Amino acid sequence: QVQLVESGGGLVQAGGSLRLSCAASGRAVGSYSMGWFRQAPGKEREFVAANRWSGGSIYYGDSVKGRFTISGDNAKNTVYLQMNSLQPEDTAVYYCAAKRGVYPGLGPDEYAYWGQGTQVTVSS
């Protein structure tokens, strides 16, 4: 299995940027696909972005296209989420997740492993 730890959340003004990190550990990290999700109070967990750990196809939720970028550093076993032009509606707890296989999924139920989450708050 893979273990995930998120960091980088915080408070930022609208229009600002944050960079989230997800450190992954495990003996078979390369066999997983990675995703970012977010969840605001009282709302369902929402897909944000996903990619293959080994590179390739990248997917973004409609609400973040053009503003967020998912990337990875294989040498550091770390996945990043660069968030630009943040808006108050982006406020949520952000989670990184991993699923078996090289094909990313868009649904939370497809991901078996989750980090603890990091809070992102965007003020107006």
Side-chain angles (χ1 to χ4, degrees):
Q1 63 179 23
V2 61
Q3 295 79 45
L4 307 172
V5 179
E6 304 99 331
S7 62
L11 175 65
V12 65
Q13 292 184 336
S17 299
L18 285 174
R19 187 193 190 206
L20 306 183
S21 298
C22 175
S25 62
R27 298 186 65 180
V29 171
S31 66
Y32 291 84
S33 299
M34 305 298 299
W36 285 96
F37 294 81
R38 66 187 183 185
Q39 188 166 21
K43 299 183 66 176
E44 294 184 352
R45 195 160 295 187
E46 177 188 12
F47 172 77
V48 174
N51 69 350
R52 302 179 185 183
W53 185 263
S54 59
S57 299
I58 299 175
Y59 305 91
Y60 294 99
D62 289 341
S63 63
V64 305
K65 287 180 179 178
R67 300 188 298 121
F68 291 10
T69 302
I70 186 172
S71 62
D73 186 335
N74 289 339
K76 297 181 178 180
N77 291 329
T78 300
V79 177
Y80 304 98
L81 184 68
Q82 178 67 46
M83 306 185 295
N84 298 326
S85 301
L86 284 163
Q87 304 169 11
E89 53 265 39
D90 295 317
T91 296
V93 177
Y94 284 71
Y95 300 89
C96 67
K99 65 181 292 291
R100 295 184 181 275
V102 299
Y103 300 103
L106 306 184
D109 292 345
E110 301 181 53
Y111 291 79
Y113 306 101
W114 295 83
Q116 81 287 348
T118 184
Q119 177 70 47
V120 172
T121 302
V122 184
S123 64
S124 58

